[in-house]
Amino acid sequence: MTVVYFHGQPGSPAELDLVFADPREHQGRVHAPDRATDRPDLPLAAYLDHLAADIGQRFPEGPLRLVGFSLGSFVAVEIGLRLEALGRNLSLDLVSAAAPLDCGDFLPDMAGGAVFALARNQPALFSALTSVQGGLSRVAPGLLFAQIFAGAAGADAHLARDPAFQARVRGMIAHSPARGARAYRREILGYVAQPAQRLAGLRAPITLWQGDDDTWTPPAMAEAIVAVRPATLRRFPGLSHYSTLQAALPQILAGAAST
């Protein structure tokens, strides 16, 4: 079974290195498109069509397991809908998943909720903010890291103090808003506008992997997804956002290898 991984925003395929100390553990086993640098000239719908077509051409036969982390779950759902229309056999694993915002009143409880509210209500001002973030990520990724992880909870609070984790995430921060600001912007703006009906229209089986202490995508999001679209919900007490990814992804790859 082919595994396709969709990274978060901000993020990059280097998220896999946060999980596996030795890159050889995932190299050759996971296809992870770098959306920060792939066709930033395209508007979102055209880009998603392009990405789905590329995945279909690379892997023309056999089942596909789409793994979306955080905001990558929004992309995984959109790619899943496109590949289903082509008759592909799919399953989805959504890790620390960002639910469509019209599924509930999540923003007050989300770390970064103010940014998503700005993107939904004042997209022009949000675009200006991303330009500032892009500049900050280039010259001071450590400062942006500190801002992002200021409210880290559960096991993520421990991760945020780990120098190796800090170095890897700072590199991803510099990669995503700095090098891929246009791609970052188009996905955030697409996510805040995605209706729950898109998720409900997906036929493929879905497994949700959710940390009970997640402050970026709180547990209420996973519960709302299940209410909109029945799915298997696996919860992790004491884990938050990235720590859930570290716990879930090895299990996902082990499951894919056995099918």
Side-chain angles (χ1 to χ4, degrees):
M1 177 179 287
T2 299
V3 176
V4 184
Y5 179 80
F6 300 98
H7 62 75
Q9 287 289 14
S12 80
E15 287 167 359
L16 296 171
D17 296 330
L18 299 175
V19 179
F20 302 103
D22 185 345
R24 289 174 296 183
E25 294 182 74
H26 63 79
Q27 287 174 349
R29 302 175 63 194
V30 183
H31 175 59
D34 186 351
R35 305 190 317 276
T37 56
D38 184 23
R39 296 302 306 270
D41 56 304
L42 293 177
L44 180 64
Y47 173 68
L48 293 171
D49 291 343
H50 156 77
L51 182 56
D54 179 70
I55 292 168
Q57 290 167 5
R58 286 175 183 268
F59 310 106
E61 298 179 355
L64 296 170
R65 191 160 184 172
L66 308 183
V67 182
F69 170 61
S70 192
L71 275 166
S73 60
F74 154 68
V75 178
V77 168
E78 289 294 328
I79 297 301
L81 287 166
R82 286 162 170 79
L83 291 174
E84 274 190 343
L86 299 175
R88 296 302 300 267
N89 179 13
L90 307 172
S91 61
L92 277 77
D93 292 273
L94 306 182
V95 182
S96 306
L101 292 181
D102 66 355
C103 288
D105 185 22
F106 308 118
L107 293 178
D109 299 318
M110 290 176 68
V115 173
F116 296 120
L118 188 67
R120 184 173 63 178
N121 301 326
Q122 300 185 65
L125 189 55
F126 165 76
S127 296
L129 174 65
T130 60
S131 297
V132 174
Q133 287 180 322
L136 185 62
S137 65
R138 283 191 295 271
V139 301
L143 178 58
L144 194 54
F145 175 94
Q147 292 177 350
I148 292 172
F149 282 86
D156 277 29
H158 174 73
L159 282 176
R161 295 190 294 270
D162 176 41
F165 179 83
Q166 291 178 18
R168 290 190 178 99
V169 173
R170 285 198 299 267
M172 292 190 305
I173 289 171
H175 179 76
S176 184
R179 293 188 58 203
R182 291 176 67 182
Y184 171 78
R185 209 158 33 234
R186 75 184 171 193
E187 289 192 11
I188 300 293
L189 291 171
Y191 162 66
V192 299
Q194 184 193 44
Q197 290 91 329
R198 296 289 290 171
L199 175 64
L202 194 63
R203 299 187 304 275
I206 297 175
T207 301
L208 299 169
W209 307 75
Q210 176 67 46
D212 282 346
D213 290 342
D214 198 332
T215 54
W216 281 284
T217 52
M221 283 192 152
E223 294 161 4
I225 289 173
V226 173
V228 169
R229 166 61 166 77
T232 300
L233 175 55
R234 300 195 60 182
R235 303 185 71 148
F236 296 85
L239 299 191
S240 183
H241 204 64
Y242 289 92
S243 48
T244 295
L245 178 65
Q246 291 180 329
L249 194 54
Q251 295 183 47
I252 292 168
L253 294 190
S258 65
T259 56

